[in-house]
Amino acid sequence: MSENLKRLTDQGVSIWLDDISRERLRTGDLQSLIRDKHVAGVTSNPTIFASALSKGDAYDPQLRDLAVRGVDVGEAVRAITTFDIRWAADVLRPVFEATGGVDGRVSIEVDPRLANESSERTVAEARALWWLVDRPNVFIKIPATLAGLPAITQALAEGISVNVTLIFSLERYRAVLDAWLTGLEQAKAGGLDLSKIESVASFFVSRFDTEVDKRLEKIGTPEAQELKGKAAVANARLAYAAYEEVMSGPRWQALRAAGARPQRPLWASTGVKNPEYPDTLYVDQLVTSGTVNTMPEKTLDAVADHGNIDGDTVRPHYEQAWNTMAALKQAGIDYDDVVRALEDEGVEKFVTSWNELLGTVAAELKKAS
């Protein structure tokens, strides 16, 4: 096992893999990553599944069976994706057991086309996925759109473990924390065992720098140029400050006394998109206890090889983070406009990937029939 990855886990950061495929599962690759690289969970999204379906022949036998059965494309996609999630959950079950249900988790997303639909439809989809996968170590991913917040509360209230995804802004993150607390309070009122309800909140990192850097480049002043590559880490650090504030409050203290577990912050989108930046930037600079960092394999390998894991790099830097955000505002960056654009783009990208996935499966079903 890499010493860097061991240091990262020793600091209280859970390492998850932001990827899944039938090929990775059938070759035992995921098991190897658990054993050799301290991977303790898996996240998936529509883009990951669309990519997996487009490569190799691992899905061919199931596609042929689905074609023979004459199922529609939507049912076929759910059959394929939930099969992979169940398999990954079974591979990670020993981690789940060893950590008392904290890690060993696998995430699957509700249909992204529901992101701005009524919460009733999203909750129905969450229930369906919860039943289809039927594993205690699954997370149902629900986007943190305004329409998604009531669905997050309702799903948690029913005992469904939730990975809240597509969080970009500090204001929305606070709303997510409120939705989570409300869901647990309702679950408690309903007599559910709170210790069985887990949740993480996926705060997106690298995309924030991509959007802000583009705007700083357009502004073009020396002060603006100096701020490139600093916004995402500052934003994430302040999210953790908000988390600490909420977790010291009376609502959480009451729930904790009733057996509830924290909703851990999860750093998502941690693959560096700008080649000028260190490829381990969004891991090295976001080390603090009680968090998850889900990484594409390329980032995981980079951290294993040359990550700089040296103590807590979040809590000691709150003042610096606030100063960075103030400087960005002074330079002309409209924070609210940035996060609005990122959320819209995030939903749009996942919908596009979902439609690509539907198209790929439709073509494969036709070929197999």
Side-chain angles (χ1 to χ4, degrees):
M1 185 185 297
S2 159
E3 281 302 309
N4 289 334
L5 297 176
K6 183 178 186 306
R7 277 197 291 272
L8 189 59
T9 57
D10 287 347
Q11 287 291 325
V13 179
S14 291
I15 299 169
W16 290 7
L17 178 70
D18 193 26
D19 189 57
I20 193 171
S21 71
R22 188 76 52 87
E23 186 68 18
R24 191 185 287 283
L25 290 163
R26 73 175 183 177
T27 60
D29 178 72
L30 177 58
Q31 184 64 58
S32 297
L33 292 174
I34 295 167
R35 183 186 65 239
D36 300 333
K37 294 192 174 174
H38 224 289
V39 167
V42 166
T43 47
S44 70
N45 61 48
T47 302
I48 285 169
F49 276 118
S51 174
L53 262 290
S54 68
K55 299 171 185 172
D57 61 359
Y59 295 94
D60 289 357
Q62 188 179 16
L63 283 163
R64 282 194 295 271
D65 286 347
L66 291 166
V68 168
R69 289 174 54 211
V71 304
D72 66 31
V73 176
E75 183 184 344
V77 166
R78 279 309 183 204
I80 289 164
T81 56
T82 55
F83 186 97
D84 282 3
I85 296 298
R86 275 193 301 275
W87 192 344
D90 289 343
V91 172
L92 280 154
R93 187 63 177 265
V95 178
F96 175 78
E97 301 288 354
T99 60
V102 175
D103 280 319
R105 297 276 174 170
V106 186
S107 298
I108 184 169
E109 190 143 357
V110 298
D111 185 335
R113 295 172 298 182
L114 301 177
N116 294 308
E117 297 288 333
S118 71
S119 62
E120 186 179 6
R121 291 191 65 189
T122 299
V123 172
E125 172 89 351
R127 289 190 195 110
L129 289 172
W130 187 250
W131 295 332
L132 278 167
V133 176
D134 193 26
R135 297 293 188 275
N137 52 330
V138 69
F139 270 135
I140 307 303
K141 290 177 78 174
I142 300 176
T145 55
L146 287 174
L149 293 173
I152 291 160
T153 293
Q154 183 61 35
L156 290 164
E158 294 182 15
I160 296 172
S161 292
V162 176
N163 176 344
V164 184
T165 188
L166 285 178
I167 308 172
F168 297 97
S169 83
L170 298 173
E171 179 184 9
R172 186 62 54 81
Y173 179 45
R174 286 183 177 276
V176 166
L177 287 164
D178 179 71
W180 164 67
L181 290 168
T182 303
L184 289 185
E185 287 163 349
Q186 291 178 9
K188 180 185 174 185
L192 298 187
D193 182 352
L194 299 188
S195 70
K196 303 292 185 188
I197 308 171
E198 281 281 349
S199 185
V200 292
S202 296
F203 202 87
F204 279 52
V205 185
S206 68
R207 294 189 195 184
F208 197 85
D209 266 344
T210 300
E211 181 65 26
V212 170
D213 284 0
K214 180 174 65 178
R215 298 179 183 218
L216 290 170
E217 190 69 38
K218 190 173 181 181
I219 292 168
T221 63
E223 293 81 8
Q225 297 292 340
E226 183 64 27
L227 290 167
K228 287 173 67 176
K230 296 180 179 178
V233 167
N235 196 42
R237 285 170 172 168
L238 293 178
Y240 195 83
Y243 165 77
E244 286 200 305
E245 182 184 327
V246 169
M247 300 305 275
S248 66
R251 290 180 72 189
W252 166 244
Q253 298 304 322
L255 287 165
R256 184 174 69 172
R261 303 194 192 207
Q263 182 191 63
R264 289 184 295 171
L266 180 152
W267 310 128
S269 181
T270 55
V272 174
K273 294 176 172 57
N274 188 332
E276 295 178 9
Y277 300 159
D279 55 2
T280 61
L281 174 66
Y282 304 123
V283 179
D284 295 346
Q285 295 300 307
L286 293 174
V287 177
T288 196
S289 131
T291 57
V292 179
N293 196 309
T294 187
M295 313 175 204
E297 190 168 15
K298 183 178 178 182
T299 303
L300 179 68
D301 290 343
V303 174
D305 181 66
H306 53 266
N308 182 22
I309 311 302
D310 186 22
D312 191 320
T313 54
V314 174
R315 298 185 211 193
H317 303 293
Y318 289 157
E319 184 178 358
Q320 180 187 12
W322 281 119
N323 290 339
T324 297
M325 301 308 280
L328 286 163
K329 183 177 181 180
Q330 183 69 29
I333 296 297
D334 183 336
Y335 182 89
D336 291 339
D337 189 65
V338 167
V339 295
R340 186 164 47 246
L342 284 168
E343 182 177 300
D344 290 346
E345 179 189 64
V347 171
E348 183 182 345
K349 281 183 174 180
F350 280 173
V351 169
T352 298
S353 295
W354 189 258
N355 288 331
E356 287 174 4
L357 180 57
L358 291 171
T360 299
V361 171
E364 293 296 330
L365 288 173
K366 186 174 181 181
K367 190 193 308 181
S369 61

